[in-house]
Amino acid sequence: MSIIEKGNGVLTLINVFTVEPDKQRELAQLLIDATEQTMKRQPGFVSANIHRSLDGKRVVNYAQWESRDAFEAMQKNPQAAPHMKAAAALARFDPILCEVVEAVSTL
Amino acid sequence: MSIIEKGNGVLTLINVFTVEPDKQRELAQLLIDATEQTMKRQPGFVSANIHRSLDGKRVVNYAQWESRDAFEAMQKNPQAAPHMKAAAALARFDPILCEVVEAVSTL
């Protein structure tokens, strides 16, 4: 379970992968494995939430890091590189660094 | 506060808006207003979470609906149309309908 809220200083990375539908499942599993094996042990990791699009053409990772510094330190970590190379071999990706400006919920 | 979790049957809409940086703030406010004034009163609304990209070029709405049927009913509701037209006048958008396949968190 992950929480989206405003004003907590978290860096959000929304990474949209465009993939051939017959590779969607493989890409999603690769991102799950990367998270379980490497990312979740990096300092400042908060969450990674892997989504598959219903049309088969996208995979989206909605990820949270404690800060931009923590995210950039992870990117420089050689342990992260093989996973990102494997993802790049399967899909184009468009990483968007953001912050929450409003969260409206029925909760 | 919104919650991301696997296996709850929620439909996730990740809508990535591409905008001129000098219109980013206006677009984000438009989406917040649309949520507060209309969307949150529609049957099956769960959450809308508006993000601004740090580079100024995107706004992302991470929204949740109880089901795909609820989402499609909202799209047919004439109350939703003016907001979507106003957003389309400011930005290109790329709506992605998805489901969560894995949520990994330190929570």
Side-chain angles (χ1 to χ4, degrees):
Chain A
M1 192 187 91
S2 307
I3 289 175
I4 304 175
E5 59 186 347
K6 178 182 171 181
N8 59 4
V10 158
L11 174 84
T12 303
L13 167 69
I14 299 173
N15 205 346
V16 179
F17 296 80
T18 302
V19 65
E20 293 299 321
D22 65 351
K23 301 283 187 188
Q24 188 194 38
R25 184 184 293 262
E26 183 181 351
L27 176 62
Q29 192 57 52
L30 188 157
L31 295 174
I32 294 167
D33 293 346
T35 302
E36 293 287 359
Q37 292 164 17
T38 303
M39 295 301 171
K40 77 178 187 185
R41 295 189 184 89
Q42 304 303 308
F45 172 86
V46 176
S47 80
N49 304 279
I50 315 299
H51 302 67
R52 71 168 203 89
S53 72
L54 303 186
D55 68 5
K57 299 176 182 175
R58 315 288 186 97
V59 174
V60 183
N61 184 8
Y62 183 99
Q64 297 171 312
W65 292 83
E66 279 176 11
S67 66
R68 187 168 186 166
D69 284 351
F71 171 71
E72 290 175 351
M74 175 280 291
Q75 287 188 303
K76 288 176 193 151
N77 185 328
Q79 291 184 320
H83 297 295
M84 293 317 294
K85 269 194 190 165
L90 284 178
R92 287 185 293 118
F93 54 98
D94 179 16
I96 307 170
L97 294 180
C98 6
E99 66 176 3
V100 177
V101 292
E102 196 64 78
V104 179
S105 166
T106 53
L107 287 178
Chain B
M1 192 186 93
S2 306
I3 288 175
I4 304 175
E5 60 186 347
K6 178 181 171 182
N8 58 3
V10 157
L11 174 84
T12 303
L13 166 70
I14 299 173
N15 205 345
V16 179
F17 295 81
T18 301
V19 65
E20 293 299 321
D22 65 350
K23 301 282 187 188
Q24 188 194 38
R25 184 184 293 261
E26 183 182 351
L27 176 62
Q29 192 58 52
L30 187 157
L31 295 173
I32 294 167
D33 292 347
T35 303
E36 293 287 359
Q37 293 164 16
T38 303
M39 295 301 171
K40 76 177 187 185
R41 295 189 185 88
Q42 303 303 309
F45 173 86
V46 176
S47 79
N49 304 278
I50 315 298
H51 301 68
R52 70 168 203 89
S53 72
L54 304 185
D55 69 4
K57 298 176 181 175
R58 314 288 186 98
V59 175
V60 183
N61 185 9
Y62 183 101
Q64 296 171 312
W65 291 83
E66 279 176 12
S67 66
R68 186 167 186 167
D69 284 351
F71 172 70
E72 290 176 352
M74 174 280 292
Q75 287 188 302
K76 288 175 193 151
N77 185 329
Q79 291 184 321
H83 297 295
M84 293 317 294
K85 269 194 191 165
L90 284 177
R92 286 185 293 119
F93 54 98
D94 179 15
I96 308 171
L97 294 180
C98 3
E99 66 176 4
V100 177
V101 291
E102 196 64 76
V104 179
S105 165
T106 54
L107 288 177

